[in-house]
Amino acid sequence: MYLWPKCLVVPIMDPSKAMKRPVGILTVKVLRATKLKKKDLLGASDPYVKLKLTEDMHHSNKTTVKHKNLNPEWNEEFNITVKDPESQALEVLVYDWEQVGKHDKMGMNVIPLKELTPDEPKVLTLDLLKNMDPNDVQNEKSRGQIVVELVYKPFKEDEIPKDIDDPNAVAKAPEGTPAAGGLLVVIVHEAQDVEGKHHTNPYVRLLFQGKEKRSKQVKKSRDPRWEEEFQFMLEEAPTNERLQVDVVSSSSRMGLLHPKENLGYVVINLADVVNNKRINERYHLIDSKNGRIQVELQWRTS
């Protein structure tokens, strides 16, 4: 996986924050943006908004793409789990979608959750900045504005989830599972920045013990979301086994020289999931420039 000059950055999490339980829900409604700047050569942009909370590296939400629009309206709503409203902040990032190549960041801003009054809706009009460095002179340049509506709702005592004390807890295997074995569950969540040379219609292919399973295909997407679950009933724990996850694009158009393309792959050693019962990771795809895929694995025993 490690080929010079590629690198993999692994953030070190604060264990006290990683184990915190959710204490509320942040509802974010992305209303609209105004006076965005042209990014495309033809004098337009294809904006979408990405939302994520600080201290939560694995989860983000995205709006739909508004093609060729510098004053887009979304009116799309998202619910985000909050673990620490005193330290967490909402990052609002606007990108220009590209069918081929990297998506350009059009601007961003950050909203500390401690500035919100619980249970009170608040509409904010934010200037889009290049970054959050107050000394960067490029932040003085106009990049447009975005309007969002926020409301933070703390859980009441009887609403606090009780089932997350053990982050690796999983359901039991069904009746009839071999006593020495178990059920390997593979949940393919999503991928980001996958790109084919001739087409990008990705699906996932799982290769395990000579068996092959496939996800549905997502047409014309560099950031596909599948949320599909696959199961393998095993006679014994796959401690020394590996699972290969391929991301593949195919096209049914007639006359193509390359009807199928490999967009990247990852090989996962299953010893960790056997020992920990559950892992949920975002992997960098081998043979892909920037592609990543999020795969959750569970080992269920009776």
Side-chain angles (χ1 to χ4, degrees), residues 145-158:
Q145 294 182 318
I146 187 166
V147 183
V148 295
E149 181 179 342
L150 309 175
V151 57
Y152 169 61
K153 297 180 179 180
F155 289 136
K156 297 176 182 177
E157 192 63 33
D158 57 350

Side-chain angles (χ1 to χ4, degrees), residues 185-192 202-207 213-216 218 224-232 243-247 266 268 279-283 285 292-298:
V185 178
V186 183
I187 304 173
V188 180
H189 289 293
E190 63 180 0
Q192 294 178 320
Y203 66 89
V204 172
R205 180 175 61 200
L206 303 178
L207 302 174
K213 298 192 177 187
R214 295 188 180 191
S215 74
K216 65 187 178 184
V218 181
R225 179 183 289 271
W226 294 284
E227 300 297 347
E228 291 191 50
E229 179 177 308
F230 304 89
Q231 298 184 351
F232 299 89
L243 170 72
Q244 181 165 328
V245 182
D246 297 338
V247 181
V266 63
I268 303 173
I279 57 175
N280 187 4
E281 300 288 346
R282 194 177 299 273
Y283 300 91
L285 291 169
R292 302 177 301 282
I293 187 168
Q294 184 179 356
V295 179
E296 180 178 343
L297 299 168
Q298 299 179 11

Side-chain angles (χ1 to χ4, degrees), residues 27 43 45 77 100 108 119 124 141 192 213 221 235 257 275-276:
T27 299
S45 291
E77 188 172 294
V100 178
M108 67 171 296
D119 296 313
L124 296 173
K141 179 181 177 181
Q192 294 178 320
K213 298 192 177 187
S221 177
E235 296 289 335
L257 293 176
N275 295 329
N276 297 317

Side-chain angles (χ1 to χ4, degrees), residues 56-79:
D56 189 349
M57 302 293 293
H58 298 294
H59 299 92
S60 63
N61 294 275
K62 295 179 183 179
T63 67
T64 55
V65 177
K66 298 297 182 181
H67 293 283
K68 298 180 180 179
N69 197 332
L70 299 179
N71 296 282
E73 292 199 16
W74 287 283
N75 293 309
E76 296 181 27
E77 188 172 294
F78 305 90
N79 292 316

Side-chain angles (χ1 to χ4, degrees), residues 151-169:
V151 57
Y152 169 61
K153 297 180 179 180
F155 289 136
K156 297 176 182 177
E157 192 63 33
D158 57 350
E159 296 176 333
I160 297 177
K162 304 296 184 183
D163 58 348
I164 58 169
D165 293 331
D166 180 3
N168 293 323

